Amino acid sequence: MESTAASKPFFSNQALARLILPLVVEQLLLMTVGMADTMMVTSAGEAVVSGVSLVDNINNLIINIFSALSTGGAVVVAQYLGRREPESARSAAKQLLYVALLAALCLMGAALLLRQAILRLLFGDIAHDVMDSALVYFLLTAAAYPFIALYNAGAALFRAMGNSRVSMVNSFIVNLVNIAVNALLIYGFQMGAAGAGLGTLTSRVAAAVIILVKITRPTLPVYVSGLLRPRLQWKMVRSILRVGVPAGIENSMFQVGKLMVLRLVTSFDAGVNLAVAGSAVAANAIGSSIASFINVPGQAVGLSMVTVIGQCMGACDHQQAVDYTKKLVKTSYLAMGLSCAGLFLATPALVPLFNLTPATAAIAIQVLRWNAVFTAIFWPMSFTLPHALRAAGDAKFTMAVSMLSMWTCRIGMSYLLGRGLGLGLLGVWLAMFADWVLRAALFLVRFLRGKWRGHQVI
């Protein structure tokens, strides 16, 4: 039922800043530690780098599933907090941890038993030395899945309470652990892929332990007790899965689509002009790495929406949900507009730092400048706005739109523009921009029509 009382704002501007700014730092930390891992393992040789890279593609898919489940739990907890039902919020938090752990154990078991078959299915015949490195790294990182799931769930619970500083500080500590263990095992003991895997496993265990210790403190609005006495509450679990499963499918298909497009990029002019083919792959990798940094503010604002809009919807204050959505999307546009303007101007000076050939650098500059323009106009509407819809429980719609735009635009048009019309890498990026335009249009119409406000999660 719609709230009729005079509504006090759920979040002041200062509260929003305390929520969003640590999320920006946390997202940057997550990106930089990934780059550090890649740089450190290069000393072990190309076979190790290739093996680790292949497995990381799979691990990113798994981590996105855990993030989606955590989002489902965070939405439920935030809505209970908005409804002023802390006991129910604590019950939902506990159920989220159980669901995340069960999912992780199942995925870990499948990875440990079938890791070689999975690698051959996804990547075909792999050189023996690459396969050996991939198998070792897959074994150790798969063992980390339960700890990754528990950490993601715990971090999502703190964000649902409006506290993102805990996960930011935790990320900083864990990144230091990861880099230190990697340095010791890769440089000191020459353990290659095993060293990188043990570094990941150690850091993930540390992350899970820290977040679980913190989430059991009774002074928190939402704390968890009696974790060692598990009992599933199916009604609560269904509420979590109602958001988490569609979000998981959406994230998984997004990663699968990226892999399919990457395979297309590697095929450009293969067998005709290998230099050009190599240029496309390298330019795409560099362009994607640089472009990902300008998305950080929008990603942080999107994560904050789960908390803000979730609490508004839990209190049945739909007007505040609408107002905060508009405010946060505007914030995303402002932050990303500034970063895109900087990228557009700095690209000619930035790309040469990667020591690319002139042909590769020219392609990278071209796609990055196109990216800056389209990101500034369409990205916040495509990727920040749907977080508000998910927080309201409209996850099936966001899943359907994402899958439609992925298969028709990002994949279908990539083949049409990139290969059919001969535009190469630029065609692939134009197809990605078309994906954003379609998503933005459909999400904006959904938001303006207001149907998302009628969903019930709890």
Side-chain angles (χ1 to χ4, degrees):
M1 187 174 76
E2 188 81 37
S3 177
T4 56
S7 299
K8 177 182 178 182
F10 279 87
F11 294 86
S12 65
N13 289 336
Q14 292 79 8
L16 289 175
R18 287 196 300 270
L19 178 61
I20 295 171
L21 293 179
L23 286 172
V24 173
V25 176
E26 180 182 355
Q27 295 302 303
L28 288 172
L29 285 171
L30 291 174
M31 294 175 60
T32 53
V33 76
M35 295 174 65
D37 280 350
T38 302
M39 293 174 62
M40 295 172 78
V41 83
T42 54
S43 65
E46 291 185 3
V48 175
V49 174
S50 298
V52 168
S53 176
L54 292 178
V55 175
D56 275 341
N57 285 315
I58 301 172
N59 287 341
N60 287 336
L61 177 63
I62 300 299
I63 291 171
N64 274 313
I65 294 174
F66 297 150
S67 298
L69 282 175
S70 299
T71 297
V75 168
V76 174
V77 170
Q79 291 205 11
Y80 275 124
L81 288 175
R83 193 182 283 187
R84 303 292 190 266
E85 296 182 14
E87 286 293 335
S88 297
R90 289 194 280 271
S91 296
K94 192 173 181 179
Q95 295 303 304
L96 171 60
L97 292 172
Y98 290 147
V99 170
L101 181 59
L102 285 173
L105 289 173
C106 292
L107 290 170
M108 179 186 71
L112 293 178
L113 291 173
L114 304 171
R115 63 188 191 281
Q116 186 165 358
I118 292 171
L119 288 168
R120 292 204 181 279
L121 175 65
L122 292 177
F123 305 111
D125 291 330
I126 305 173
H128 290 299
D129 52 352
V130 174
M131 177 61 83
D132 289 342
S133 295
L135 287 173
V136 171
Y137 186 69
F138 204 174
L139 173 70
L140 293 168
T141 53
Y145 288 171
F147 304 101
I148 297 172
L150 289 172
Y151 169 74
N152 280 357
L157 293 175
F158 275 103
R159 288 196 295 269
M161 291 182 268
N163 185 343
S164 58
R165 187 175 180 275
V166 167
S167 57
M168 179 195 71
V169 174
N170 202 1
S171 293
F172 182 74
I173 295 171
V174 169
N175 289 346
L176 290 180
V177 172
N178 186 42
I179 292 173
V181 175
N182 278 354
L184 175 64
L185 299 182
I186 296 174
Y187 298 148
F189 291 91
Q190 306 296 314
M191 292 180 66
L198 286 170
T200 298
L201 177 58
T202 303
S203 65
R204 298 300 191 177
V205 172
V209 170
I210 293 172
I211 207 78
L212 287 177
V213 168
K214 289 181 178 294
I215 201 66
T216 57
R217 292 176 178 171
T219 55
L220 295 172
V222 177
Y223 66 90
V224 177
S225 60
L227 272 175
L228 299 181
R229 299 189 299 274
R231 185 172 67 88
L232 289 176
Q233 297 175 299
W234 292 110
K235 183 179 179 181
M236 201 76 76
V237 169
R238 283 194 294 270
S239 296
I240 293 170
L241 296 181
R242 195 173 295 128
V243 177
V245 170
I249 294 173
E250 178 183 342
N251 289 351
S252 300
M253 289 299 100
F254 187 80
Q255 292 300 317
V256 169
K258 288 176 67 176
L259 288 174
M260 293 179 67
V261 171
L262 179 59
R263 177 173 289 189
L264 171 64
V265 171
T266 60
S267 73
F268 287 149
D269 296 316
V272 178
N273 188 337
L274 293 178
V276 174
S279 294
V281 173
N284 185 67
I286 297 302
S288 297
S289 297
I290 295 175
S292 61
F293 276 94
I294 65 172
N295 296 339
V296 167
Q299 291 170 343
V301 173
L303 288 172
S304 73
M305 275 188 164
V306 174
T307 300
V308 176
I309 308 306
Q311 291 195 20
C312 292
M313 294 301 294
C316 296
D317 196 330
H318 296 166
Q319 187 56 51
Q320 282 208 59
V322 171
D323 293 342
Y324 276 120
T325 298
K326 292 178 180 178
K327 184 174 188 175
L328 289 170
V329 170
K330 289 177 182 177
T331 301
S332 181
Y333 265 111
L334 176 61
M336 296 192 69
L338 292 173
S339 61
C340 286
L343 174 65
F344 189 91
L345 296 174
T347 292
L350 188 61
V351 170
L353 298 177
F354 291 87
N355 296 319
L356 304 174
T357 64
T360 304
I363 298 172
I365 291 171
Q366 181 186 41
V367 296
L368 278 171
R369 284 195 146 175
W370 276 97
N371 182 79
V373 173
F374 276 89
T375 298
I377 299 172
F378 295 105
W379 199 97
M381 200 69 70
S382 302
F383 294 98
T384 303
L385 177 60
H387 281 282
L389 306 182
R390 294 187 196 100
D394 201 10
K396 289 182 180 179
F397 179 81
T398 62
M399 176 192 71
V401 168
S402 298
M403 293 179 66
L404 171 67
S405 64
M406 168 63 71
W407 289 101
T408 58
C409 295
R410 187 170 297 217
I411 296 175
M413 290 185 66
S414 287
Y415 280 85
L416 174 64
L417 298 177
R419 178 175 291 173
L421 298 183
L423 294 178
L425 184 63
L426 178 60
V428 169
W429 282 60
L430 289 175
M432 179 178 70
F433 303 148
D435 172 22
W436 297 357
V437 173
L438 179 58
R439 288 169 59 101
L442 294 176
F443 288 142
L444 179 59
V445 169
R446 184 72 164 188
F447 175 75
L448 293 176
R449 286 184 174 177
K451 190 174 180 179
W452 57 279
R453 293 179 292 182
H455 285 267
Q456 186 174 357
V457 176
I458 59 174

